[in-house]
């Protein structure tokens, strides 16, 4: 039951997050990916790749970097239902992950390995992203080769035409679907606007 952990952590009477169908396979061959910016107790970016009817998920505290020399910590978390990729809104305070969620980027991904399951077990998954913000070749690499599935992973950009020293999380802070900042999403959904705003870029100040 791949979504058991996901469901155990949540009270679907309270949270607006999707419960997820028992089995939801997309008819197309395209594999979706989503990066959700999540201002919970701490800001992080949830990096999710569709695989075998669920979203494999990693929490990336600092978010993705386009700079191949920068390796971003990616903590594996429980599989999420495919419908979760469309979730943007507020998880009630006191619930698991309480806070504001933004669909920061989404699109589809293509494996660059012959066998994704083998690559995941080996802790070396290479793939291309076709998103609104993230493009080109990437890798998720487990820090301890052959380590436990709970071991830390790193999210790394490969060198290609999409590599850049620009900080994409700073330059492109808005939702890929609503164009809203976290504070606007919180406001529209009855969330904690001040808490959400902590994850937004500081407002530009005009000097006198
Ligand atoms: Mn999260």
């Amino acid at each position: 039951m791949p979504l058991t952990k996901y469901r155990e952590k949540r009270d679907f009477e309270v949270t607006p997050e999707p419960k997820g169908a028992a089995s939801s396979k997309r008819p197309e061959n395209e594999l979706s990916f989503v990066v959700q910016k999540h201002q919970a107790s701490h800001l992080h970016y949830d990096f999710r790749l569709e695989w075998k009817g669920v979203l494999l998920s990693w929490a990336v505290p600092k978010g993705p970097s386009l700079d191949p020399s920068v390796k971003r910590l990616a903590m594996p978390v429980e599989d999420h239902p495919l419908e979760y990729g469309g979730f943007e809104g507020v998880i009630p305070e006191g619930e698991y992950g309480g806070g504001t969620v933004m669909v920061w980027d989404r699109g589809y991904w293509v494996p660059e390995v012959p066998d994704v399951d083998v690559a995941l077990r080996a802790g070396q998954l290479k793939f291309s992203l076709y998103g609104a913000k993230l493009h080109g070749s990437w890798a998720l690499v487990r820090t301890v080769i052959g380590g436990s599935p709970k071991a830390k992973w790193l999210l790394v950009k490969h060198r290609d035409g999409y590599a850049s020293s620009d900080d994409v999380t700073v330059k492109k802070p808005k939702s890929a679907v609503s164009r809203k900042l976290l504070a606007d999403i919180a406001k529209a959904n009855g969330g904690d606007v001040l808490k959400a705003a902590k994850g937004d870029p500081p407002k530009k100040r005009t000097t006198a």
Side-chain angles (χ1 to χ4, degrees):
M1 286 279 114
L3 295 176
T4 307
K5 271 191 198 163
Y6 171 85
R7 293 193 183 113
E8 277 172 2
K9 290 169 185 275
R10 291 166 174 81
D11 180 353
F12 296 101
E13 300 287 315
V14 182
T15 182
E17 298 163 289
K19 191 173 181 195
S23 143
S24 43
K25 278 215 169 89
R26 283 151 48 101
E28 317 90 62
N29 292 328
E30 225 167 66
L31 296 165
S32 62
F33 90 92
V34 64
V35 183
Q36 282 159 313
K37 187 173 178 179
H38 184 185
Q39 178 68 59
S41 47
H42 300 282
L43 179 70
H44 59 275
Y45 292 73
D46 289 299
F47 188 87
R48 311 191 197 278
L49 298 175
E50 174 183 356
W51 187 243
K52 294 192 167 171
V54 295
L55 292 170
L56 306 178
S57 299
W58 290 260
V60 183
K62 291 185 175 175
S65 170
L66 304 184
D67 183 341
S69 70
V70 176
K71 296 170 173 61
R72 287 282 157 86
L73 179 65
M75 304 296 295
V77 296
E78 76 273 19
D79 296 344
H80 277 54
L82 286 188
E83 304 97 293
Y84 205 95
F87 177 70
E88 178 171 281
V90 169
I91 301 170
E93 294 300 329
E95 294 304 300
Y96 181 71
T100 302
V101 177
M102 169 199 288
V103 177
W104 182 77
D105 196 15
R106 69 173 181 181
Y108 66 98
W109 72 284
V110 176
E112 292 178 11
V113 291
D115 187 322
V116 172
D117 292 307
V118 167
L120 286 166
R121 278 199 298 275
Q124 284 262 16
L125 180 63
K126 296 177 182 177
F127 51 92
S128 296
L129 294 180
Y130 297 82
K133 295 176 177 133
L134 302 181
H135 312 275
S137 183
W138 295 74
L140 274 162
V141 183
R142 200 165 48 215
T143 52
V144 183
I145 302 301
S148 96
K150 290 271 173 193
K152 293 169 184 174
W153 292 59
L154 299 169
L155 176 65
V156 192
K157 180 79 195 75
H158 286 144
R159 270 178 215 292
D160 61 16
Y162 295 105
S164 167
S165 56
D166 286 349
D167 189 337
V168 67
T169 61
V170 171
K171 283 209 162 177
K172 298 182 175 173
K174 290 181 179 172
S175 165
V177 293
S178 66
R179 312 304 304 158
K180 286 177 176 164
L181 291 168
L182 282 167
D184 302 321
I185 295 165
K187 198 174 182 180
N189 294 280
D192 184 334
V193 177
L194 284 179
K195 179 183 165 187
K198 285 190 221 161
D200 288 326
K203 288 223 166 64
K204 287 196 180 94
R205 299 185 356 178
T206 48
T207 42

